[in-house]
Amino acid sequence: MTDSYARGATEPALIEETIGDFFDAMVAKQPDALALVSRHEGVRRSYRALQAEATQLASALLATGLVPGDRVGIWSHNNLAWVLMQIATAKAGLILVNINPAYRTAEVEYALNKVGCKALVTMPRFKTSEYLAMLRELGAARLPQLKNVWWIDRAEDADEAGFDIPLARLSQLLASGNANDARVAQVQQGLKATDPINIQFTSGTTGFPKGATLTHRNILNNGFFIGECMKLGPQDKLCIPVPMYHCFGMVLGNLACLTHGSAIVYPNDGFDPLLTLEAVQAERCTGLHGVPTMFIAELDHPRFAEFDLSSLRTGIMAGTACPIEVMKRVVSQMHLGEITIAYGMTETSPVSCQSSTDTPLERRVSTVGTVQPHLEVKVVDPESGATVPRGERGELCTRGYSVMHGYWGDEAKTREAIDAEGWMHTGDLATMDAEGYVNIVGRIKDMVIRGGENIYPREIEEFLYRHPKVQDVQVVGLPDRKYGEELCAWVIAKPGQQLTEEEIREFCKGQIAHYKVPKYIRFVTEFPMTVTGKIQKYRIREQMSVELGLVAERTA
């Protein structure tokens, strides 16, 4: 019987340039074409204008004393500043560190210190998140390597009070740069495609996030082949409501567009279904990205029928399994006949499998497509490592250009994830059919995917253990109609202590991201265990699902 192994196409060839060089070549080809529309900021940029501004920012960053290889954080939702930072840091050889805007003090302190960020570009605030206030609270003592903070400002904004880390407006930094700075070209010439250029944090199974380090070659090629899969071209406008701090927005969105001369359209800073529908209609977008919950929110919006979405053709649905009925509605009611499904992980830049625009609908919803060009995938027995026959389940492994450079500052964890032969072990259980279509059927490491956010229960458990009244805690994912999964915590209180759900939630407030705070909290005296003392999380899931009347609506 055939093994569960597949190798992608070898044409077109891999790009062996840096992001800066490839982008500059695209600008030379079509300088006046539309590159970016940021609707909430009232911003429109041609390819030439975007290049000039990004080069000016690269010049300004280098003038502050930053040198290639230094880490620069960005803590922001989607806006012009984000894409400028993405291009500018790539040109200057600086490693852009994506900080999740949902992070709170403990998380941002860990992330900035883990990779040694020397500078940070941040929104001053967003909704209830006060980013500058969090940085003030941490201060130079707790962020010893951070030398500069620039906040994303508008002309009408009042000045922000400084603190013990130098603070300035991003507009001031940009104004100090020179779009014709010869030093930028000189630095750019000295960069290699294999240089690390981006760090993204993945929730850690041991309680701390790991910094997946990606190169120009990793993400530029992945963005290119994703765009190829969607048949993008200069005539396309891609609406991107998914966040930039994930690979989804940054690679499947920005880089897929910039490698094909397409236009990027940001409907808003954070996701808003109405503003997304308005952007698609107003800009005549041909593509739309989203996780299933986003598409559901758009389809179910009371004003959905008012919008003309007939310009739509393609896009990507990813993040978690898509219910078949939702996919059918997306195709029939949103005109997305060529929407594709993508599967991947941050450590593989991210996509390793994707359906194509002409994959039959049933296959598109029941699988994650086939292997991408220049990559290999196989399904192995998690115990023996042997490749399993087609149709049998095992752990999915990926090899090729997309596999990350490594986890920043953590060789041991890198070796655990990438074996001696270069295979990245995903931790996902999968099957491969006779035609090479891959289906994700579960997860080895109990990861929870809530609305496209990857959450490792161990990280939440480690945090809750810090509560003075908590003796033990187990966190699992439960099925949820809206988000795919929600977190549930079973807590054992210390002897003689009384604990309430409110106390647990209050403990989490401001310390961990809102999506990591368990929706369901139960106080118990023991956990279900095997005879050898191993906790049976699946039994917690089963019991809670029955108790709460929850039924999984999944296709994978």
Side-chain angles (χ1 to χ4, degrees):
M1 205 176 164
T2 317
D3 278 347
S4 295
Y5 167 86
R7 181 193 285 269
T10 53
E11 293 291 331
L14 282 172
I15 301 164
E16 300 294 356
E17 293 174 77
T18 62
I19 290 169
D21 287 352
F22 196 87
F23 174 66
D24 288 348
M26 183 59 73
V27 175
K29 227 182 282 183
Q30 48 168 60
D32 300 320
L34 181 66
L36 174 75
V37 178
S38 181
R39 284 178 60 82
H40 57 292
E41 297 175 289
V43 161
R44 302 181 83 82
R45 294 286 187 275
S46 67
Y47 268 80
R48 182 193 279 123
L50 191 65
Q51 179 192 42
E53 223 167 333
T55 308
Q56 188 176 339
L57 181 55
S59 160
L61 288 166
L62 289 170
T64 67
L66 291 166
V67 296
D70 281 347
R71 275 76 63 208
V72 179
I74 179 145
W75 197 14
S76 172
H77 282 287
N78 300 2
N79 49 34
L80 170 64
W82 219 110
V83 70
L84 287 177
M85 283 294 289
Q86 186 177 1
I87 300 167
T89 50
K91 281 175 159 286
L94 303 168
I95 300 175
L96 187 67
V97 181
N98 301 10
I99 310 288
N100 188 330
Y103 273 8
R104 293 295 178 263
T105 47
E107 295 157 316
V108 78
E109 177 185 9
Y110 173 81
L112 292 173
N113 288 334
K114 173 68 182 171
V115 301
C117 276
K118 286 194 176 174
L120 176 68
V121 170
T122 180
M123 295 190 294
R125 61 191 53 81
F126 184 81
K127 294 183 180 172
T128 59
S129 298
E130 292 284 343
Y131 299 111
L132 291 178
M134 284 187 249
L135 292 168
R136 277 190 195 97
E137 186 188 325
L138 290 167
R142 287 167 69 183
L143 299 169
Q145 296 166 87
L146 191 63
K147 303 302 177 208
N148 282 293
V149 175
W150 296 290
W151 60 281
I152 300 165
D153 61 310
R154 297 162 305 175
E156 66 271 23
D157 287 335
D159 281 340
E160 290 283 347
F163 45 104
D164 60 358
I165 299 167
L167 175 71
R169 291 170 178 261
L170 184 64
S171 60
Q172 288 174 332
L173 175 72
L174 185 59
S176 72
N178 173 6
N180 300 306
D181 187 346
R183 188 165 168 222
V184 177
Q186 190 187 344
V187 167
Q188 198 174 316
Q189 265 184 324
L191 304 177
K192 302 190 299 296
T194 50
D195 290 339
I197 203 61
N198 182 229
I199 295 174
Q200 302 200 28
F201 286 96
T202 64
S203 287
T205 47
T206 55
F208 291 107
K210 300 187 288 289
T213 307
L214 305 170
T215 65
H216 294 268
R217 192 172 188 262
N218 285 152
I219 58 178
L220 181 62
N221 279 291
N222 210 248
F224 174 75
F225 286 109
I226 285 157
E228 289 290 285
C229 227
M230 295 161 63
K231 301 192 172 127
L232 286 186
Q235 72 289 347
D236 284 299
K237 290 180 178 177
L238 179 61
C239 183
I240 309 174
V242 295
M244 289 302 118
Y245 64 86
H246 270 175
C247 270
F248 200 165
M250 194 192 113
V251 181
L252 285 72
N254 287 357
L255 289 178
C257 287
L258 296 177
T259 52
H260 289 83
S262 312
I264 293 163
V265 178
Y266 299 149
N268 196 29
D269 37 19
F271 174 63
D272 181 300
L274 183 61
L275 293 177
T276 302
L277 294 168
E278 284 177 354
V280 169
Q281 176 176 281
E283 300 295 338
R284 304 295 295 153
C285 292
T286 56
L288 175 62
H289 281 357
V291 298
T293 51
M294 289 181 176
F295 284 105
I296 292 165
E298 290 150 13
L299 285 161
D300 291 347
H301 195 278
R303 291 182 54 195
F304 176 78
E306 294 175 29
F307 294 95
D308 175 6
L309 309 177
S310 60
S311 58
L312 285 176
R313 171 184 71 80
T314 189
I316 294 173
M317 196 183 299
T320 187
C322 177
I324 291 177
E325 292 312 308
V326 175
M327 189 64 151
K328 285 179 179 166
R329 288 176 68 196
V330 165
V331 169
S332 64
Q333 295 172 36
M334 297 181 85
H335 306 277
L336 285 163
E338 296 185 3
I339 193 164
T340 71
I341 296 284
Y343 161 81
M345 60 193 304
T346 307
E347 290 91 336
T348 55
S349 305
V351 173
S352 47
C353 294
Q354 190 173 352
S355 63
S356 63
T357 54
D358 50 11
T359 300
L361 189 60
E362 287 303 311
R363 276 279 168 84
R364 263 187 275 175
V365 291
S366 61
T367 76
V368 293
T370 54
V371 64
Q372 272 262 18
H374 298 279
L375 297 177
E376 299 168 88
V377 292
K378 65 177 180 178
V379 181
V380 303
D381 182 311
E383 300 299 315
S384 69
T387 307
V388 301
R390 296 263 171 132
E392 280 190 25
R393 67 173 56 197
E395 183 180 18
L396 186 67
C397 299
T398 304
R399 184 166 68 177
Y401 77 83
S402 71
V403 174
M404 66 173 177
H405 188 71
Y407 291 121
W408 187 271
D410 203 332
E411 271 186 48
K413 286 276 182 290
T414 303
R415 280 198 302 272
E416 275 175 36
I418 305 168
D419 67 24
E421 293 177 334
W423 288 99
M424 175 78 207
H425 290 250
T426 67
D428 285 322
L429 289 168
T431 58
M432 185 186 290
D433 71 12
E435 290 173 83
Y437 284 91
V438 174
N439 186 18
I440 305 300
V441 295
R443 293 184 296 281
I444 292 170
K445 295 171 185 168
D446 268 330
M447 186 175 73
V448 174
I449 304 180
R450 181 194 181 274
E453 295 280 4
N454 292 355
I455 307 168
Y456 287 88
R458 180 78 183 164
E459 185 185 352
I460 320 299
E461 289 161 4
E462 293 279 352
F463 177 76
L464 292 176
Y465 279 132
R466 298 185 203 165
H467 193 290
K469 293 184 184 177
V470 169
Q471 182 183 54
D472 208 350
V473 59
Q474 291 295 317
V475 174
V476 298
L478 298 180
D480 183 78
R481 282 176 189 272
K482 185 177 180 187
Y483 291 108
E485 286 179 290
E486 279 280 12
L487 292 175
C488 168
W490 272 24
V491 179
I492 298 175
K494 284 183 178 168
Q497 296 281 3
Q498 290 297 311
L499 249 180
T500 64
E501 287 187 38
E502 194 48 44
E503 276 179 84
I504 295 285
R505 291 203 170 91
E506 198 55 39
F507 183 70
C508 297
K509 209 171 171 181
Q511 292 299 311
I512 59 172
H514 65 89
Y515 62 82
K516 295 179 186 172
V517 180
K519 179 178 179 178
Y520 306 103
I521 298 168
R522 289 286 183 277
F523 296 99
V524 296
T525 53
E526 60 182 1
F527 301 131
M529 291 198 183
T530 64
V531 287
T532 57
K534 268 190 154 182
I535 293 162
Q536 296 170 304
K537 284 196 170 187
Y538 74 92
R539 285 184 50 196
I540 297 176
R541 274 193 291 271
E542 284 170 0
Q543 191 176 319
M544 289 303 293
S545 296
V546 171
E547 188 181 317
L548 297 164
L550 304 172
V551 182
E553 272 199 27
R554 310 184 72 113
T555 58

